[in-house]
């Protein structure tokens, strides 16, 4: 790949860059579902680039796309995936190593927090293991963010 090493001036054809990302993911045993999520994010990025007459991907374009999505679409799990995809593309672009994703909890809107707290409290009181409670929290947070993505602000 003929790209520079500086984040500020590196550029590459998005198709070539995304194929390198997919190869990396397959080589590192990412699930097909995860790869599909990244393909979806890259398709959105491609549309954004075409609408803005951008031929080559740069880190700046990736940053601008994240800002654009944040300003025009609700947040949630899809936005988190877009950020992760841009991070991975930038790592490949600059030759940096893609680090394992640290699973940080998705934020929960304040109005959903009491529901989450009650759900987790009930899980603990019912004798669920710490690991089970953690997994339930992870999926509940994704659920609440998916509700927001669908425009549902209350349950």
């Amino acid at each position: 790949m003929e790209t520079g090493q500086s984040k500020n001036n590196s550029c590459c054809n998005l198709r070539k860059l995304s194929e390198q990302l997919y190869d990396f993911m397959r080589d590192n045993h990412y699930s097909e579902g995860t790869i599909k999520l990244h393909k979806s994010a890259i398709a959105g990025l491609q549309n954004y680039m075409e609408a803005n007459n951008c031929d080559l991907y740069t880190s700046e374009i990736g940053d601008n796309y994240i800002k654009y999505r944040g300003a025009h679409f609700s947040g949630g799990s899809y936005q988190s995936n877009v950020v992760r995809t841009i991070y991975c593309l930038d790592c490949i672009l600059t030759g940096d190593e893609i680090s394992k994703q640290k699973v940080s909890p998705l934020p929960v809107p304040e109005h959903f927090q009491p529901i989450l707290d009650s759900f987790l409290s009930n899980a603990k009181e019912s004798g669920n293991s710490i690991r089970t409670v953690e997994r339930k929290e992870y999926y509940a947070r994704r659920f609440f963010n998916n509700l927001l993505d669908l425009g549902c602000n209350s349950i």
Side-chain angles (χ1 to χ4, degrees):
M1 175 172 70
E2 295 182 19
T3 61
Q5 292 301 310
S6 168
K7 180 177 178 178
N8 295 330
N9 64 10
S10 297
C11 62
C12 189
N13 176 283
L14 182 61
R15 176 168 290 173
K16 181 178 179 180
L17 201 58
S18 60
E19 286 303 320
Q20 289 177 313
L21 175 59
Y22 305 145
D23 289 344
F24 168 84
M25 296 176 102
R26 285 184 199 99
D27 291 346
N28 287 278
H29 311 290
Y30 282 70
S31 72
E32 283 302 313
T34 298
I35 295 171
K36 284 180 184 179
L37 287 173
H38 286 276
K39 284 183 178 183
S40 175
I42 289 172
L45 174 61
Q46 180 68 46
N47 291 338
Y48 173 83
M49 288 175 62
E50 288 172 4
N52 289 282
N53 298 317
C54 302
D55 294 324
L56 297 174
Y57 176 82
T58 65
S59 293
E60 182 180 1
I61 289 171
D63 291 343
N64 290 338
Y65 180 59
I66 290 170
K67 290 174 190 168
Y68 166 80
R69 285 218 33 99
H72 294 92
F73 299 94
S74 64
S77 58
Y78 184 75
Q79 182 68 5
S80 296
N81 185 62
V82 168
V83 170
R84 175 68 180 170
T85 300
I86 297 299
Y87 163 78
C88 292
L89 290 174
D90 288 349
C91 286
I92 292 171
L93 185 66
T94 59
D96 293 335
E97 183 178 334
I98 298 174
S99 66
K100 291 282 186 184
Q101 184 173 3
K102 295 177 183 168
V103 179
S104 57
L106 287 171
V108 174
E110 282 185 36
H111 59 284
F112 286 141
Q113 190 63 52
I115 298 167
L116 177 62
D117 293 342
S118 177
F119 173 69
L120 296 175
S121 177
N122 183 284
K124 291 173 189 172
E125 291 170 7
S126 297
N128 290 168
S129 71
I130 293 171
R131 177 74 176 139
T132 299
V133 172
E134 289 172 350
R135 295 311 302 163
K136 285 184 177 188
E137 179 178 11
Y138 170 80
Y139 287 111
R141 286 176 180 275
R142 287 189 62 185
F143 172 74
F144 290 132
N145 279 279
N146 285 332
L147 286 177
L148 287 177
D149 287 346
L150 294 172
C152 181
N153 294 313
S154 64
I155 49 177

